[in-house]
Amino acid sequence: MDEIAPGVFVATAEMYVTTTTIVAGADGGCLVIDPAVTVAELDALASWLSERGLRPVAGWSTHPHWDHVLWSSALGDTVRYATPRGAEVAARERPGLISGVEEAAPGHDLALFARLTPLAGDRPEIPWRGPRAVVLAHDAHAPGHGAVFLPDTGVLVAGDMVSDIEIPLLGIEPGETGAVPAVRYRHGLDVLAGVDGVRVVVPGHGHAGDTAEFRRRVAADVAYLDALRAGRDVGDDRLTAAAPWLLAEHDRQRALGY
Ligand SMILES: [Zn+2]
């Protein structure tokens, strides 16, 4: 567990280098963003929180993929928010999400899995007693994706965007072809890039970075999208040591036809 800013902690799981973000609030309450991944890791997270005298009072799910909608009874019976679209998609796609978690990280309490409460509004703030947490919604990578920006510390919890280890994953919807997913992704990047005062970025998979690193990743993601759409070779460092599944995803994105 690393304290990346005062009162903001990031744990990194072994699987997919997945991050969990904890924000300390008033009276020992804390906000838990995307707790992940295995049953043992969620148990360890709950133990760490109780050792520090922290108690989850709100949760946030950045997007409706199985590794971002997990919870454990050890984290308490706490309201877990998502964007309205994210919550709706998580409910609708529940069977597929359950298949995903059962295959990759079995043993979770499925009664708690993907149970999300919609948080409506234009750039709403998560309702809790703690540092302001502003939601930035877009549909890149997954429908109803909601990053969280903490203006007091300049921390941007980006969800599955601006990673140092993953290329942009467009989240192609069934039947989609052409430039639509790339244009949608570019819009999501613009939303994040437009945030003033980012001092630390936390990707859903990968490592935290400072302001310069955030800007570098945005530029790398834009360059990736531009190359895809132009049909050029994508010279992206993140593909050099990429796992087979990531290379397959890259091939699928290249074959989309632009
Ligand atoms: Zn994802």
Side-chain angles (χ1 to χ4, degrees):
M1 188 73 81
D2 297 318
E3 188 166 14
I4 57 154
V8 184
F9 304 88
V10 172
T12 307
E14 216 163 291
M15 191 182 290
Y16 312 133
V17 199
T18 307
T19 62
T20 298
T21 303
I22 305 296
V23 187
D27 304 327
C30 67
L31 169 65
V32 179
I33 303 174
D34 287 358
V37 175
T38 62
V39 172
E41 282 164 336
L42 262 59
D43 284 347
L45 173 66
S47 302
W48 185 88
L49 290 173
S50 82
E51 278 160 27
R52 304 234 6 156
L54 289 169
R55 172 179 41 87
V57 292
W60 179 258
S61 163
T62 59
H63 64 287
H65 287 166
W66 73 261
D67 48 336
H68 298 265
V69 294
L70 296 160
W71 201 257
S72 157
S73 59
L75 295 172
D77 181 15
T78 303
V79 60
R80 299 145 58 194
Y81 296 103
T83 67
R85 186 139 195 243
E88 181 231 311
V89 170
R92 191 179 67 222
E93 296 186 354
R94 186 175 174 77
L97 295 174
I98 287 176
S99 306
V101 70
E102 290 290 74
E103 193 177 317
H108 284 286
D109 180 350
L110 296 181
L112 297 170
F113 179 70
R115 299 290 188 207
L116 304 173
T117 298
L119 181 64
D122 180 33
R123 298 211 167 185
E125 295 188 14
I126 297 172
W128 78 302
R129 298 212 306 127
R132 289 177 58 211
V134 182
V135 173
L136 306 160
H138 56 73
D139 295 309
H141 178 68
H145 194 299
V148 177
F149 182 57
L150 310 170
D152 297 347
T153 45
V155 173
L156 175 64
V157 184
D160 283 3
M161 307 273 291
V162 288
S163 170
D164 56 327
I165 59 170
E166 290 183 354
I167 52 169
L169 297 169
L170 304 187
I172 303 163
E173 300 284 326
E176 259 182 352
T177 55
V180 172
V183 169
R184 186 172 57 215
Y185 199 98
R186 178 60 196 262
H187 171 72
L189 272 180
D190 287 345
V191 170
L192 300 186
V195 178
D196 272 337
V198 175
R199 279 180 284 200
V200 189
V201 63
V202 182
H205 305 278
H207 307 91
D210 63 11
T211 309
E213 175 64 8
F214 171 58
R215 295 293 161 200
R216 189 193 70 75
R217 291 183 198 175
V218 169
D221 286 355
V222 168
Y224 177 90
L225 295 175
D226 286 351
L228 266 194
R229 294 183 66 187
R232 289 196 307 268
D233 270 352
V234 179
D236 193 304
D237 290 347
R238 294 169 293 193
L239 289 168
T240 311
W245 72 265
L246 193 63
L247 292 171
E249 202 56 34
H250 171 57
D251 286 342
R252 199 161 83 92
Q253 294 181 162
R254 273 204 307 193
L256 207 53
Y258 292 91

